[in-house]
Amino acid sequence: MGTCALFIDYENVLKSLRGQNIHVPHKVLAEVFKHEAQRYGEVVFARAYAPWDLFPEAMALFDRQDIKPEYVEGGRKDNADLVMSLDIQEFLRIPGRDAETFILVTGDGDFVHVIRLLQQEQKRVVLWGVEGSISARLVGRVAEVETVQAMLRRHGHLPGAEPSGEFGPAGEGPGLPPGREMAVRALILRAEAVMLARGWVQVPFLTLMQEMSVSTLFGEDSEQRRMLIVRCLEAGLLDTKKQPNPKRPGTDTTFILLRKDHPAVRTTLQCTARVVLHMRRLLEAAPPGAGVPWDDLLRSLAGDDRLGRMAEAERQNWVELCIAEKLLRQDRQGDRPVLYLDEEHPLVQQVVPGEDLTPMLRRLVLAVDHYLQRTGYQWMSMGLLRQQLLPCGRREMERAIRMAAEEGIIRIEQIPNRFGSRPTTGVYLEESHPFCQEVVERRDEVLAALSRLFGDRDMVPVPEVEEGLVAAGAVETPEAAAEWLGLLADHQILTARSGWPYGAECPVYVLQRQHPVLVKRLRERTG
């Protein structure tokens, strides 16, 4: 009888199985993996890699089979790959530790280099993976390939695969367990609302669980709610991130992030916003205090460019979702049910018809860039950024910060704080982003034009400055000139005043020639 070592990319296996609507208990998988491994000889080493904090009960089940659970951060594809690869290499280096057969339970093509390394060491490599999810890069490189489904069938555990239901219209999104589409959509909205209300870009796992506990839509108990989050993670709708817990040194906090690039997440947020937008328009046309009848809202949605392509039942589902998540509230006027918007709901506040956040985003980029240039730091604290943007309006500020983070204009990270227990939220400017480059280049053109326009003069009348910027081609319109001059005045590169020598009624601008941003940018432009 030979010996074998077992390495299980458990997150990969679970995601692949559940992506095909195959739901097998952790206990069954642990027992099957151990039993099947023993066919190759004595199991001298066994590890399973996963974000175990998402299903902690599974850890004990694998432990009972002498398969040691190894924690890896969930959501990122390369985490288990890296940890497993390092463990395999370490196994080969330790004197006295050996196995004739190495069993890799994964379908990830990134393990090609590990297989090559094992074969160079004259080891037999066996691959187990979920049928339909095994990379073609692995097949043909190993001595044996076995599917997890085949093993489960041999042990009589494989349930009949349920038909894959589509999530969202037009087949957008992965297959999910039947009957859970409404709960998943509600979870997306709940996570987004919590982050909007608190100014976060991620939400602690336990906070999200607590927010979900107020509604049975997410499940009857904490286990059902947790499994809903796990399935959304497996489907790629959510992501996880670990950060040190400043209140409990040596421990980590698990954060949940919403994958805005996922079609199902994007569809949920967009369709919900469309419902809110139609409600706003109908309420504006209604008498003061009057609600919107159900039928009127459904007729309005039927004429929408996107929602109008759906079946009426699907449009009604979106309205019911907005009611369940309290974006809309129901009431009665006479014998008719009517709907109202909850203007205090964060998702309702996000929908502002015709709003253009470009000026606010431009202001945000300049605030961060000027701070970094003045201080030489690599990041700006979120508190200081909010302080600079707050005079423009709290809601506008929050929407701009969130849009900048989602569009990749800024990157937000938690920075250890040596002066306190709580970390500092740091804002990094992604200078290579096209919008950042456009704003900085336009700012530099305006500064260069101002330098030429002022020449040796200490002050210049405001109308002359505005006209001069347009004439120099630094901006296209007088309105754009006024906006840029206002931005530079906010950053004290320009100072507005009235007086000599143009008269008390003539406003003038004074150029602060020693301002560090002006000095640095002009020096760079002149070489």
Side-chain angles (χ1 to χ4, degrees):
M1 180 71 69
T3 57
C4 69
L6 176 64
F7 296 85
I8 305 170
D9 184 352
Y10 194 55
E11 183 181 21
N12 175 275
V13 171
L14 275 185
K15 184 180 296 186
S16 299
L17 285 174
R18 289 174 177 172
Q20 300 180 29
N21 283 326
I22 300 175
H23 303 281
V24 183
H26 301 295
K27 181 175 183 291
V28 168
L29 288 170
E31 291 174 349
V32 168
F33 287 147
K34 182 60 178 291
H35 186 274
E36 291 289 323
Q38 289 172 335
R39 295 195 297 116
Y40 298 89
E42 179 187 359
V43 181
V44 297
F45 189 91
R47 295 288 187 273
Y49 303 83
W52 296 105
D53 54 340
L54 299 180
F55 26 84
E57 74 285 355
M59 296 179 67
L61 299 173
F62 275 80
D63 257 334
R64 288 175 196 161
Q65 300 299 324
D66 295 321
I67 302 173
K68 182 180 177 182
E70 292 286 351
Y71 178 84
V72 295
E73 184 177 338
R76 291 183 54 183
K77 171 185 171 298
D78 57 348
N79 285 340
D81 305 2
L82 178 61
V83 177
M84 275 182 63
S85 299
L86 292 175
D87 280 359
I88 291 171
Q89 294 175 51
E90 183 181 5
F91 182 93
L92 293 172
R93 286 197 302 267
I94 296 178
R97 178 184 284 180
D98 194 16
E100 299 169 12
T101 301
F102 281 72
I103 304 171
L104 307 185
V105 188
T106 184
D108 197 323
D110 289 343
F111 282 94
V112 168
H113 71 285
V114 176
I115 293 173
R116 187 180 300 117
L117 174 64
L118 290 170
Q119 291 171 339
Q120 290 172 355
E121 296 291 329
Q122 306 300 312
K123 303 300 180 183
R124 183 169 185 258
V125 182
V126 173
L127 179 69
W128 296 348
V130 176
E131 184 178 359
S133 301
I134 304 175
S135 172
R137 298 172 62 196
L138 303 181
V139 179
R141 295 178 179 267
V142 297
E144 180 182 334
V145 178
E146 177 77 287
T147 68
V148 175
Q149 290 96 320
M151 291 188 286
L152 291 171
R153 290 190 190 98
R154 278 200 298 272
H155 291 264
H157 291 301
L158 182 62
E162 298 172 345
S164 174
E166 291 180 343
F167 177 80
E172 292 181 305
L176 291 171
R180 301 298 285 162
E181 288 87 350
M182 178 70 83
V184 171
R185 290 170 175 169
L187 175 57
I188 292 170
L189 296 183
R190 185 65 58 94
E192 177 75 350
V194 171
M195 290 187 284
L196 284 172
R198 307 190 187 190
W200 295 344
V201 294
Q202 56 193 20
V203 56
F205 175 76
L206 294 179
T207 300
L208 183 57
M209 285 284 288
Q210 183 178 3
E211 291 287 337
M212 295 166 64
S213 66
V214 300
S215 172
T216 57
L217 177 61
F218 302 108
E220 298 292 337
D221 52 37
S222 61
E223 175 61 18
Q224 291 182 6
R225 292 188 286 270
R226 186 185 62 78
M227 282 306 303
L228 179 63
I229 294 177
V230 169
R231 291 184 181 181
C232 288
L233 285 166
E234 293 166 353
L237 282 73
L238 304 176
D239 209 343
T240 61
K241 182 179 180 181
K242 286 272 185 185
Q243 288 185 353
N245 187 338
K247 296 183 179 180
R248 296 181 180 178
T251 64
D252 291 332
T253 298
T254 299
F255 289 90
I256 300 294
L257 297 88
L258 206 52
R259 293 283 301 274
K260 298 292 184 68
D261 58 336
H262 193 286
V265 176
R266 188 167 58 246
T267 295
T268 298
L269 296 177
Q270 289 176 350
C271 289
T272 304
R274 300 300 298 174
V275 173
V276 173
L277 185 61
H278 281 267
M279 275 292 298
R280 282 201 189 282
R281 291 171 178 169
L282 292 170
L283 286 170
E284 289 173 358
V292 175
W294 261 85
D295 292 343
D296 289 359
L297 177 57
L298 291 176
R299 276 194 295 270
S300 180
L301 296 179
D304 185 84
D305 291 341
R306 178 164 192 166
L307 297 174
R309 298 196 299 267
M310 302 177 187
E312 183 175 353
E314 182 68 10
R315 290 193 292 271
Q316 185 165 336
N317 287 341
W318 285 110
V319 176
E320 291 174 350
L321 174 65
C322 291
I323 294 172
E325 283 303 292
K326 296 182 170 50
L327 285 77
L328 305 180
R329 61 180 177 86
Q330 295 188 92
D331 204 341
R332 298 192 71 84
Q333 285 182 350
D335 59 350
R336 288 203 306 174
V338 294
L339 299 169
Y340 293 89
L341 276 176
D342 181 359
E343 293 291 352
E344 298 302 316
H345 195 288
L347 290 172
V348 174
Q349 294 177 355
Q350 284 291 103
V351 182
V352 180
E355 181 183 44
D356 181 11
L357 287 175
T358 303
M360 194 68 171
L361 291 173
R362 194 178 292 124
R363 183 178 294 273
L364 181 151
V365 169
L366 290 179
V368 179
D369 182 71
H370 287 188
Y371 176 81
L372 301 184
Q373 290 197 53
R374 291 198 318 271
T375 63
Y377 295 162
Q378 294 182 326
W379 53 272
M380 180 182 190
S381 75
M382 179 64 79
L384 186 56
L385 177 60
R386 291 180 186 276
Q387 182 180 336
Q388 292 198 19
L389 299 180
L390 187 58
C392 300
R394 181 176 296 277
R395 292 182 181 179
E396 292 79 3
M397 172 190 71
E398 296 293 353
R399 285 196 288 271
I401 291 175
R402 190 162 190 83
M403 178 177 288
E406 292 173 357
E407 296 294 331
I409 296 172
I410 59 174
R411 185 176 79 256
I412 300 175
E413 294 186 4
Q414 297 296 313
I415 313 296
N417 185 353
R418 57 180 177 172
F419 300 110
S421 60
R422 297 178 64 85
T424 299
T425 302
V427 179
Y428 292 81
L429 190 64
E430 298 291 0
E431 297 178 356
S432 61
H433 191 282
F435 184 80
C436 293
Q437 293 178 338
E438 177 187 340
V439 171
V440 170
E441 289 173 3
R442 180 57 58 91
R443 187 270 318 275
D444 291 350
E445 291 174 3
V446 171
L447 291 179
L450 286 174
S451 180
R452 294 191 299 269
L453 183 63
F454 273 78
D456 295 330
R457 293 184 289 177
D458 292 328
M459 59 185 70
V460 176
V462 170
E464 182 180 341
V465 176
E466 293 177 349
E467 294 170 2
L469 289 182
V470 176
V475 295
E476 297 178 354
T477 65
E479 292 76 17
E483 179 190 349
W484 273 100
L485 292 172
L487 288 171
L488 297 180
D490 288 344
H491 289 278
Q492 299 179 341
I493 296 176
L494 289 173
T495 303
R497 67 166 71 165
S498 298
W500 184 89
Y502 301 100
E505 302 301 323
C506 181
V508 298
Y509 275 127
V510 177
L511 185 63
Q512 303 299 323
R513 301 178 188 275
Q514 300 305 313
H515 193 285
V517 173
L518 177 62
V519 172
K520 182 176 181 180
R521 303 311 291 188
L522 291 181
R523 184 186 300 127
E524 291 177 355
R525 285 182 69 89
T526 57

